[in-house]
Amino acid sequence: MIDGEDYATNLDQGQRTVQTAQEQNPYSKMAGGVAGNVAAMAGLGGTAAGARAMGITGPSLLSRAGASMASSGAISGADTAVRGGTPEEIAGSAAIGGGIGGAIPIVGAGAKAALGAVADRVAPTINALRNPTQEAQRRVGMAMSRDASANPAMMLSQADETVAAANRVPLVNADRGGETTRALARSVANQNPEARALIENTASDRFGAQSQRAVDFVRRIAGGNADDLAFQETLRTAARNANAPAYRAAYSEPSAQQVYTGRIQQLMQSPTFRRAVDMVPKKSADRGAVSGAKEIGNPFTQNSQGQYVLRQSADGTLVAPSLEFWDHVQRNLRSLSDKAARSGDNTTASEIGALRTALNEDLDTAVPLFGSARKGAAAFFGAEDALDAGRQFANSPRGIPEATKAFQKFTAAEKRAFSTGYASELIDRVKASGDRTNVINSMFKSQAARESMELVFGPQKAREIEAYVRVEDIADRLRGAMGNSTTARQLVELGIGAGAGGAAGYGITGDWQGAMIGAAGPKTLQYLSRKGDAKVMESIAKLLTSDNPQALRVAAQQAARQPSYMKALESLGSALAIPARSGASIVAQ
């Protein structure tokens, strides 16, 4: 209506002009087609529904390939139809576009897998040669990251670090990880002699000092030198003083004024027994200085033949020994027996102990109140006093409810003596154990031991014991982790290859990725990897046996680079998805 010409004639002329321009400028045509297709699909691919429809996202590779095939075929067919194509041309374009679109996700997955193989397999080899220390940090960081994700409760906490420092447990970085970290230590130890020597020496030296650490810990929990004889005697004296009324009642008994049985006369034949008799005046004076008692004279004297006979008083009567005198004798015998035991002379200690037992049996028979005063609540434990009761309880724990009732009958001083005796026996058992015996497992970890310690030391100190045992147990796991497992699965998971950086070929990894890398030059990779891995393994061993936790932060930073790289690959794949599908439409045209 405007120019008076036919529309069909104008359309035909315009199409010929466009075709001529495209033939003269083929690159511009291609660029325009790509830009137009990308622009047209970018908006759709940027939405969640559009991305699924185009096969960019989806639950599986097969579903993505199907969606890409359907959407690419539909777009290509529709484009041909709009351009005026015949039904046959429309079907052909749809078939071509659908075929290419369906192949795009599969090809993309293959490319991504190949790039991942390079990152997972070849990159460690290159990094090992270029910077062994950095590669070691990366591998340790990855192991620590896996442990933190899998079982955080098994990782050392700040509270554990504090307990270890307080009890001088020398922690290393391997202790701060979990099973994966210890598997890494085992792997490098199995493949590199230098790494193995470093790890095993660290674990062995630390284990060798475990007994002394346990002794020091028990002493601290007991509140003093529990195995010190002077300290024990002080506690015994305090317990006796607290029970002084019972002793005075026994000393006041008529039968206690003159005690000299035939058996005691026989005991006087022993030089050690006579030595304990001669010690009474001096020791009773020392003990009386604290309790207010007077020195007790020795009722015995030696005749011209050197025999011990009873003294005579001014009126000519014999001075008979009293119960109180024999009480000091039996205490002197116990002191002599304890000293012999501490010096390692167990035979002499046993012989002196037998003399003391025989004396006390006669004294208890002569004055029953004496046995009751001496034993008190300790009789439940089959002991003579509270300190000895603690020792007996450590060796053969009784039922906790019954033991608790007996323990509650003790005075405060007796309870202190009881806990000291218990701790003293624990220390003696630790010292008597073999040099390579795990005293933590044998003495602290049973249910009976935990319940006994809670009774003896109280709930708060029982929690301290539990925390100490946990730290010692974690510290000893590195020693227990040293084995001989060198399976390919373990090596691949940890990024360490059997002389080839973990991926020389199909023979090690058992998958097509390893075969692809191996085909690129397995002999070369093996040679280079052996050179690099030796240094990496030594660096890993040094990092794991270091006591510097700050080094793990650097390791964590190095490990974080690999996930970031793989995320970048994922983003790159998504960014290229739309142009790839746009290309399917261009080819179909």
Side-chain angles (χ1 to χ4, degrees):
M1 292 176 61
I2 295 174
D3 56 16
E5 297 182 1
D6 181 62
Y7 171 75
T9 302
N10 285 338
L11 177 61
D12 181 64
Q13 183 180 350
Q15 289 176 340
R16 286 196 304 271
T17 302
V18 171
Q19 183 176 358
T20 300
Q22 290 176 344
E23 291 174 352
Q24 292 176 351
N25 301 279
Y27 296 109
S28 297
K29 174 188 177 183
M30 178 61 69
V34 170
N37 279 278
V38 170
M41 296 185 183
L44 179 62
T47 64
R52 286 195 300 270
M54 295 172 64
I56 298 175
T57 60
S60 65
L61 178 61
L62 184 61
S63 66
R64 293 197 302 272
S68 180
M69 177 184 293
S71 60
S72 296
I75 292 172
S76 298
D79 183 75
T80 303
V82 171
R83 296 173 183 274
T86 64
E88 291 78 8
E89 290 173 338
I90 294 173
S93 296
I96 295 173
I100 296 175
I104 287 174
I106 298 174
V107 174
K112 179 182 176 183
L115 290 173
V118 172
D120 290 338
R121 316 293 187 177
V122 176
T125 299
I126 297 174
N127 291 339
L129 292 168
R130 183 177 58 84
N131 193 330
T133 300
Q134 190 178 85
E135 177 60 17
Q137 292 169 341
R138 185 188 69 83
R139 297 183 190 183
V140 170
M142 289 183 63
M144 295 286 292
S145 177
R146 292 182 188 179
D147 286 330
S149 299
N151 196 349
M154 297 305 295
M155 305 285 284
L156 278 175
S157 65
Q158 186 56 50
D160 294 328
E161 299 272 4
T162 302
V163 171
N167 295 285
R168 295 185 297 175
V169 181
L171 296 177
V172 296
N173 285 333
D175 306 322
R176 297 180 172 96
E179 290 303 320
T180 306
T181 302
R182 285 185 283 274
L184 176 59
R186 179 169 60 248
S187 293
V188 300
N190 286 338
Q191 297 175 81
N192 185 275
E194 289 77 12
R196 184 175 188 86
L198 180 57
I199 295 174
E200 286 192 336
N201 288 341
T202 299
S204 179
D205 291 347
R206 183 169 58 179
F207 179 67
Q210 184 194 73
S211 294
Q212 185 57 50
R213 290 196 302 271
V215 167
D216 294 341
F217 174 76
V218 173
R219 285 173 177 164
R220 184 175 67 81
I221 287 293
N225 294 329
D227 54 335
D228 181 73
L229 296 181
F231 180 68
Q232 292 181 10
E233 185 60 29
T234 299
L235 292 177
R236 278 196 173 104
T237 300
R240 288 176 62 92
N241 292 338
N243 201 24
Y247 280 97
R248 286 196 295 268
Y251 295 160
S252 300
E253 285 287 291
S255 58
Q257 308 311 308
Q258 296 182 353
V259 182
Y260 195 42
T261 66
R263 190 180 187 186
I264 294 178
Q265 293 179 39
Q266 181 180 350
L267 293 175
M268 287 293 295
Q269 299 177 19
S270 164
T272 301
F273 192 89
R274 293 196 298 269
R275 180 186 173 192
V277 167
D278 292 338
M279 292 168 59
V280 171
K282 181 178 183 298
K283 296 299 292 185
S284 64
D286 291 340
R287 293 161 182 159
V290 177
S291 64
K294 296 181 179 180
E295 177 182 326
I296 299 176
N298 190 343
F300 292 94
T301 186
Q302 289 180 278
N303 60 19
S304 59
Q305 288 80 33
Q307 297 173 333
Y308 276 66
V309 295
L310 292 175
R311 294 179 183 275
Q312 290 184 347
S313 61
D315 59 2
T317 59
L318 296 177
V319 179
S322 66
L323 170 66
E324 187 175 6
F325 172 82
W326 291 122
D327 184 22
H328 283 280
V329 171
Q330 68 89 16
R331 293 168 70 179
N332 295 340
L333 288 171
R334 180 175 57 200
S335 177
L336 294 173
S337 176
D338 288 345
K339 288 179 180 178
R342 281 289 182 271
S343 67
D345 190 354
N346 293 326
T347 300
T348 300
S350 178
E351 292 171 350
I352 298 174
L355 293 173
R356 179 171 177 266
T357 299
L359 173 61
N360 281 332
E361 287 176 351
D362 263 31
L363 297 179
D364 290 347
T365 301
V367 187
L369 285 180
F370 177 67
S372 299
R374 191 177 71 255
K375 297 177 182 179
F380 170 79
F381 301 96
E384 295 183 355
D385 55 33
L387 193 142
D388 186 49
R391 287 177 173 171
Q392 298 289 345
F393 187 58
N395 281 324
S396 55
R398 306 295 184 90
I400 297 300
E402 294 80 4
T404 301
K405 291 181 180 179
F407 182 77
Q408 291 173 344
K409 294 180 181 179
F410 284 138
T411 63
E414 287 176 323
K415 289 179 179 179
R416 178 75 186 281
F418 182 84
S419 64
T420 299
Y422 185 93
S424 175
E425 186 60 29
L426 287 184
I427 290 173
D428 288 345
R429 286 167 56 189
V430 170
K431 291 181 176 179
S433 62
D435 292 338
R436 311 304 295 178
T437 301
N438 191 325
V439 297
I440 302 301
N441 287 342
S442 61
M443 297 178 58
F444 293 92
K445 295 185 71 173
S446 70
Q447 181 65 25
R450 289 193 293 270
E451 292 177 353
S452 298
M453 290 180 186
E454 183 170 359
L455 169 63
V456 174
F457 299 119
Q460 180 177 348
K461 290 186 176 180
R463 288 191 292 271
E464 292 184 42
I465 295 172
E466 183 178 356
Y468 167 72
V469 169
R470 167 179 160 82
V471 170
E472 282 283 9
D473 185 55
I474 291 176
D476 195 44
R477 290 177 187 175
L478 179 61
R479 183 179 64 91
M482 292 296 98
N484 295 308
S485 175
T486 55
T487 62
R489 177 192 61 78
Q490 183 184 32
L491 302 181
V492 171
E493 287 180 351
L494 299 177
I496 300 174
Y506 186 89
I508 293 178
T509 64
D511 58 23
W512 67 270
Q513 293 176 340
M516 180 186 71
I517 300 300
K523 295 298 182 183
T524 301
L525 282 176
Q526 289 176 6
Y527 173 77
L528 294 176
S529 294
R530 279 193 298 268
K531 300 285 289 184
D533 271 351
K535 295 181 179 180
V536 171
M537 291 175 194
E538 291 180 40
S539 296
I540 290 175
K542 291 179 182 178
L543 179 54
L544 291 178
T545 55
S546 169
D547 60 355
N548 180 16
Q550 301 301 324
L552 294 179
R553 294 186 180 180
V554 179
Q557 292 171 358
Q558 293 295 334
R561 292 186 178 184
Q562 180 160 337
S564 298
Y565 177 73
M566 298 308 297
K567 185 176 181 179
L569 289 179
E570 185 73 30
S571 299
L572 180 61
S574 298
L576 294 176
I578 293 176
R581 284 156 180 76
S582 301
S585 299
I586 295 174
V587 172
Q589 294 169 15

